[in-house]
Amino acid sequence: MHPKDLKIADYTYRLPQEKIAQYPLENRDASKLLIYKDNTIAESVFRSIPDQIPENSLMVFNNSKVIEARLIFKKQTGGKIEIFTLEPSGIYKDITEAMLQKESIVYKCLVGGASKWKHDEVLQLITPDNKVCLFAKKLEQLNDGYLIEFSWSQPALTFAEILHIAGNLPIPPYLQRSAEDGDTTRYQTVYAEKDGSVAAPTAGLHFTKEVLAALNLKQVATAYTTLHVGAGTFMPVKSEQMQDHIMHAEYIEITTALLDQLINYDFITAVGTTSTRTLESVYWMGVKAFLNPAISYNDLMILQWDPYNADYKEAAVSKKDALASLKSWMTENGLQHLIIKTQIIIAPGYEFRIINALVTNFHQPQSTLLLLVSALIGDSWRNVYEYALNNNFRFLSYGDSSILFKS
């Protein structure tokens, strides 16, 4: 069956509210770990995860950092307008460039209370210490948001610094609470580095410096890539069949050094669905570069259904050839870093080309993340989730973890 024909109603389960973790555990690596391998389920504690990873293998992490994407402006009349920053306008090359902008920027946003915001009205947000005054002007309404022009009173500060000073951390809406002081550190991974996500790559929240050191001691190599998580990660699938669902696109960043590591290791563990989407996208970009070495940057982007294209699949390009072709394309174009969007959807029927195992939390019913898990371990996802529900595992962003080995 082609993933387009899947019915999302077939990927649901009952998730009681009390199973959703409202807060993280005090110690990151004290969370429970479900282990699925060779059709069997076991459990342990997360700090023991190095015991599950093969020696001389590679583990890949997403080092994206969550930005303070929620901005609360007050109107002169006393009302509030909430602006949620989504992604930069197309006039900027990528999120990294946008985060470094000074004085002003144009950003695509969601706006709460937009009907109360007059088109020519400039909103102001003054930080409590009066350090910064941030201005917002509504430029254009889009199908899925607004283009907003931001400017600020301290032109020497970058937009990333402005958000850090004036914004609020966008913890998941299903937590049904406001961000608290503890979220500032716990909703970031210990290796977060590159500003740009509006949601944490939550599989990485369990890792500590001690766990990373234990992996190194076992000769498990580590590598970092970047996928800036967009608000689409919270969007449920509303269409009955997947062919009517439009997958959100997100920025990824890869390096030629990462490509070398992916070529040199046979067993690769992805930390999180975001790392998985990045690594599998890299393969398909490599296929495109293999088939057309002169391909343009725009055509290199992975669209939603590209991995299911018969021409690409029938080409039967090996992992090594695909990655080598992408590296050659980057070298020819003078790039050591490639920042590009991917819209890849990984659902049952997908054949994994890069990863062999996945570290991930437990996901919402009828979500594209659950589809990805099902693509990896087949119908056994039901047994895994039933076990987790019956054995006091905590679900979603601040919940417990699992390591799933490809069936």
Side-chain angles (χ1 to χ4, degrees), residues 161-367:
E161 291 170 322
I162 290 295
L163 289 177
H164 184 65
I165 294 168
N168 298 283
L169 204 67
I171 61 172
Y174 49 67
L175 293 183
Q176 299 178 2
R177 65 176 176 84
S178 299
E180 300 174 11
D181 290 344
D183 296 309
T184 303
T185 54
R186 290 308 307 276
Y187 199 58
Q188 301 279 14
T189 62
V190 297
Y191 47 80
E193 180 182 347
K194 299 189 177 182
D195 292 299
S197 283
V198 299
T202 53
L205 296 180
H206 308 278
F207 284 85
T208 61
K209 291 181 180 179
E210 290 77 15
V211 171
L212 294 172
L215 288 166
N216 181 60
L217 198 63
K218 194 178 178 181
Q219 296 184 318
V220 176
T222 54
Y224 295 89
T225 186
T226 307
L227 182 146
H228 291 304
V229 187
T233 194
F234 295 129
M235 299 295 182
V237 178
K238 296 181 179 179
S239 54
E240 289 188 14
Q241 286 188 301
M242 291 309 299
Q243 65 181 352
D244 298 319
H245 176 71
I246 299 175
M247 190 67 180
H248 55 285
E250 294 167 312
Y251 281 99
I252 63 175
E253 179 178 352
I254 57 173
T255 65
T256 52
L258 173 64
L259 296 180
D260 286 335
Q261 287 180 292
L262 297 177
I263 290 171
N264 291 332
Y265 285 92
D266 293 326
F267 194 97
I268 296 171
T269 303
V271 177
T273 57
T274 57
S275 296
T276 301
R277 295 183 70 230
T278 301
L279 295 177
E280 295 298 316
S281 295
V282 164
Y283 170 80
W284 292 107
M285 285 191 285
V287 170
K288 288 186 175 185
F290 178 88
L291 296 175
N292 179 14
I295 192 169
S296 69
Y297 169 87
N298 289 335
D299 289 336
L300 200 63
M301 173 183 167
I302 301 303
L303 302 178
Q304 179 166 333
W305 301 113
D306 277 351
Y308 311 97
N309 182 312
D311 291 338
Y312 296 153
K313 294 179 71 173
E314 290 173 6
V317 181
S318 69
K319 177 185 113 173
K320 184 175 181 180
D321 285 344
L323 298 175
S325 297
L326 182 58
K327 182 181 178 182
S328 295
W329 183 91
M330 290 175 64
T331 303
E332 286 292 322
N333 286 273
L335 299 172
Q336 288 187 320
H337 290 75
L338 174 63
I339 302 176
I340 193 168
K341 278 188 171 183
T342 181
Q343 196 189 14
I344 191 172
I345 184 168
I346 298 177
Y350 181 84
E351 181 182 346
F352 287 85
R353 308 298 179 128
I354 300 290
I355 79 158
N356 304 93
L358 166 67
V359 178
T360 189
N361 288 16
F362 297 94
H363 305 294
Q364 289 180 301
Q366 299 191 20
S367 64

